[in-house]
Amino acid sequence: MEKGQYKLLLEVLDRLNRHKILKDLVLVGGWCVYFYREYYFKGSYISPFRTPDLDFLVPAPGNIISEGDLPEILDDLGFIEDFRGSQGYVQLSHPDLKIEFLVHGKGRGTDRPVLLKKWNMNAQPLRFMDILLIKTLDLNIKGIKLRVPHPACFSFQKLIISSRRTGRTAHKADRDRQTAIEVIDELMADADEQWLLKDIFTKIEVKQQKQIIKILSGDRNDIIRFLK
């Protein structure tokens, strides 16, 4: 990971924090792995990574408390509004980072952008985002309180997503699965985290539990035995 990219990320977090917007967000996606490595696990063996995608989940888009024009707040850092896809999803793009906002989509027919009027933005609905909210953590990132999914939630959601990747994103499936299992292995190494791993698994819908077991079957039967 380049220092310039991380410095820019910290500046984005700082601005969102100063405008109280960060309180209405949960950081999700690949950057969670970095923060798990550096701020949650001790002596982590999770593989390093580098991604330009900075994804934020909005847990309650209809009950946003904070206000602020996000494109304007980040404009002088070099972020521009970029419309992605035929549905008109807006992301804030910079050569080093691309910021996107997500909400939980409850199924088919919910692919239209969700307006985030108070922020002059919109969000993309995606399925299985609710898994990331079963349990969240507050990490202290250089004085900034950053909310992230518990690593177990992150891993289970990644496993489910890996099995559904097709077309342009099919190549990401193996990486998703590898990262999820590495994070689970970190949790399995700690007695308290083991309990949380199993507890969070029981709170996932049975259909999704079966998906996770199917994905792990074959080479990670040790995790399956523990979860069952």
Side-chain angles (χ1 to χ4, degrees), residues 16-17 20-26 59 66 119 145 147:
L16 295 179
N17 185 53
K20 313 298 183 185
I21 293 173
L22 208 54
K23 292 182 178 181
D24 287 312
L25 298 173
V26 178
S66 59
W119 300 340
K145 186 166 73 173
R147 190 159 43 137

Side-chain angles (χ1 to χ4, degrees), residues 26-31 53-57 98-102:
V26 178
L27 179 74
V28 297
W31 275 101
D53 300 323
L54 184 59
D55 299 324
F56 290 103
L57 175 61
K98 298 183 186 302
I99 304 173
E100 188 169 0
F101 297 90
L102 309 171

Side-chain angles (χ1 to χ4, degrees), residues 5 8 12 52-56 70-85 89-101 120-122:
Q5 185 188 40
L8 178 63
V12 169
D53 300 323
L54 184 59
D55 299 324
F56 290 103
L70 276 168
E72 183 177 311
I73 290 170
L74 301 178
D75 176 72
D76 67 309
L77 293 177
F79 285 93
I80 60 171
E81 292 182 75
D82 185 14
F83 290 89
R84 186 177 63 80
Y89 303 124
V90 178
Q91 65 180 12
L92 297 176
S93 297
H94 182 283
D96 293 326
L97 287 176
K98 298 183 186 302
I99 304 173
E100 188 169 0
F101 297 90
N120 193 23
M121 285 291 297
N122 68 27

Side-chain angles (χ1 to χ4, degrees), residues 24-206:
D24 287 312
L25 298 173
V26 178
L27 179 74
V28 297
W31 275 101
C32 286
V33 179
Y34 174 81
F35 290 114
Y36 293 152
R37 279 169 52 92
E38 302 298 322
Y39 293 91
Y40 192 72
F41 295 123
K42 296 179 180 179
S44 172
Y45 292 99
I46 303 173
S47 300
F49 79 107
R50 182 175 184 270
T51 176
D53 300 323
L54 184 59
D55 299 324
F56 290 103
L57 175 61
V58 187
N63 295 298
I64 292 173
I65 298 173
S66 59
E67 294 189 32
D69 188 317
L70 276 168
E72 183 177 311
I73 290 170
L74 301 178
D75 176 72
D76 67 309
L77 293 177
F79 285 93
I80 60 171
E81 292 182 75
D82 185 14
F83 290 89
R84 186 177 63 80
S86 60
Q87 295 291 343
Y89 303 124
V90 178
Q91 65 180 12
L92 297 176
S93 297
H94 182 283
D96 293 326
L97 287 176
K98 298 183 186 302
I99 304 173
E100 188 169 0
F101 297 90
L102 309 171
V103 295
H104 174 56
K106 297 181 180 180
R108 294 180 181 177
T110 59
D111 58 343
R112 293 183 179 179
V114 173
L115 182 63
L116 306 174
K117 188 175 181 181
K118 290 185 177 181
W119 300 340
N120 193 23
M121 285 291 297
N122 68 27
Q124 179 183 8
L126 291 177
R127 297 182 65 188
F128 311 115
M129 292 289 106
D130 55 332
I131 296 173
L132 300 174
L133 298 175
I134 292 174
K135 182 176 177 60
T136 60
L137 307 168
D138 288 329
L139 302 180
N140 187 324
I141 311 299
K142 299 187 181 299
I144 298 171
K145 186 166 73 173
L146 179 65
R147 190 159 43 137
V148 299
H150 185 276
C153 300
F154 172 87
S155 297
F156 292 140
Q157 196 254 7
K158 275 287 184 187
L159 288 174
I160 292 171
I161 294 299
S162 73
S163 69
R164 302 175 69 87
R165 287 198 181 277
T166 59
R168 292 183 304 169
T169 63
H171 66 285
K172 296 182 179 180
D174 289 342
R175 176 59 179 167
D176 281 349
R177 184 177 178 277
Q178 177 188 345
T179 299
I181 291 175
E182 287 180 355
V183 174
I184 289 174
D185 283 338
E186 292 284 350
L187 296 170
M188 292 282 285
D190 182 280
D192 291 333
E193 294 294 351
Q194 281 185 4
W195 181 86
L196 281 170
L197 181 70
K198 182 175 286 190
D199 181 62
I200 289 169
F201 183 73
T202 64
K203 294 176 180 176
I204 297 174
E205 292 182 11
V206 173

